[in-house]
Amino acid sequence: MTVTATDPVALTQALIRCESVTPAEGGALTLLESVLKPAGFTCHRMTFTEPGTPDVENLYARIGASAPHLCFAGHTDVVPPGDLAAWTVPPFAGEIRDGRLYGRGAVDMKGGVACFVAAALRHLVTGDEEGPSINGTMKVLDWLKSRGETLDVCIVGEPSNPDTLGDEIKIGRRGSLTAEIVVRGKQGHAAYPAKADNPIPKLARILDRLSSVEIDRGTPDFEPSNLQVTVLSVPNRAANVIPAEARATFNIRYNDTWRRPTIEAWVREQCAAAAATINAAYDLEFSGTGDARNSVAWKLRPIRRS
Ligand SMILES: [Zn+2]
């Protein structure tokens, strides 16, 4: 593909046309490599793997060898487009309408990556931000360390300004904890509930507590932590059958009041307290990123301009 790398709009369009729904590379890194290499960048493509997580392709492109070493960090993966019929523009066409560029990833963050490339500086691009974030940035950083490469400055091009460009500078990231809860019941006929144990109302009660209890009140640097139920699933198609189990997934974005072990303990406590009153049997499984690997991975804060 021939793209003028110095034109961030054309490059953003070309990147949007790569269907890089996480964890798929979708041609996005290949495209970047094809514009960076001729410009003199040394490109390294690396695929990292971890049991239980999808393999992720990464690209590290470097130009020059002297200090300071400025790094641009970004990701080319995007979240799934969802219901295609609900889009007024095709999500992977990179269309411009009335002077605005539309498409999945235009903001988060193919636009940012295209601006990096257009700025023609040292470059670090990962394809694993919208997924579990195991085989991306963390491993690229390990790889750099093993090669004795040190970054002096790193610019992350995430779209984090709520209203206008520059209204907020984030210098850190909240932790992200994902949990799946499965409430176990006993299958039975809806006409004979005494012979069954319906897990749905029990799950609803637990989720109600998780969604309504205050996690914390925020800190000087961060908003209050928040919990969002994102998946609710009952594997049952029969209206007259009480199902055997009901499951839900929720995600917590937590501030610096917490560390991964303490927020997990909080979730366990809340689930146990809710379950105790209704005699619910359940399993809880945690995943997610944040400070999973290192319990003090971030200590930074957003700076708000008044
Ligand atoms: Zn992003």
Side-chain angles (χ1 to χ4, degrees), residues 1-3 28-39 43 59:
M1 184 181 288
T2 3
V3 178
L29 298 183
T30 301
L31 170 65
L32 291 175
E33 198 177 346
S34 78
V35 297
L36 289 168
K37 246 188 187 160
C43 294
L59 167 67

Side-chain angles (χ1 to χ4, degrees), residues 75 108 129-130 158:
H75 63 90
D108 188 5
E129 205 275 334
E130 306 295 5
E158 283 282 354

Side-chain angles (χ1 to χ4, degrees), residues 183-190 192-203 241-246 278-282:
V183 175
R184 294 184 306 274
K186 189 180 168 203
Q187 203 181 52
H189 199 290
Y192 304 97
K195 291 183 181 294
D197 177 15
N198 194 340
I200 298 177
K202 292 182 175 179
L203 177 62
V241 172
I242 292 167
E245 62 173 44
I278 48 175
N279 195 23
Y282 63 93

Side-chain angles (χ1 to χ4, degrees), residues 7-8 70 78 84 92 118 147 150 168 209 218 229 231 275-276 284 294:
D7 178 1
L70 170 66
V78 295
L84 292 179
F92 299 109
R147 290 166 52 92
T150 327
E168 191 173 282
R209 181 181 178 114
V229 178
V231 181
L284 204 50
N294 177 348

Side-chain angles (χ1 to χ4, degrees), residues 168-254:
E168 191 173 282
I169 299 171
K170 289 197 170 67
I171 57 171
R173 191 181 185 203
R174 289 171 300 178
S176 172
L177 174 72
T178 298
E180 187 186 41
I181 180 165
V182 183
V183 175
R184 294 184 306 274
K186 189 180 168 203
Q187 203 181 52
H189 199 290
Y192 304 97
K195 291 183 181 294
D197 177 15
N198 194 340
I200 298 177
K202 292 182 175 179
L203 177 62
R205 300 278 281 276
I206 295 172
L207 293 179
D208 178 49
R209 181 181 178 114
L210 286 168
S211 303
S212 50
V213 167
E214 181 181 84
I215 306 175
D216 57 57
R217 295 191 165 174
T219 68
D221 298 331
F222 284 92
E223 292 163 3
S225 303
N226 82 87
L227 181 154
Q228 298 300 321
V229 178
T230 48
V231 181
L232 194 54
S233 151
V234 179
N236 180 29
R237 305 190 78 87
N240 58 353
V241 172
I242 292 167
E245 62 173 44
R247 51 181 69 217
T249 302
F250 52 91
N251 179 255
I252 301 180
R253 294 299 161 111
Y254 57 94

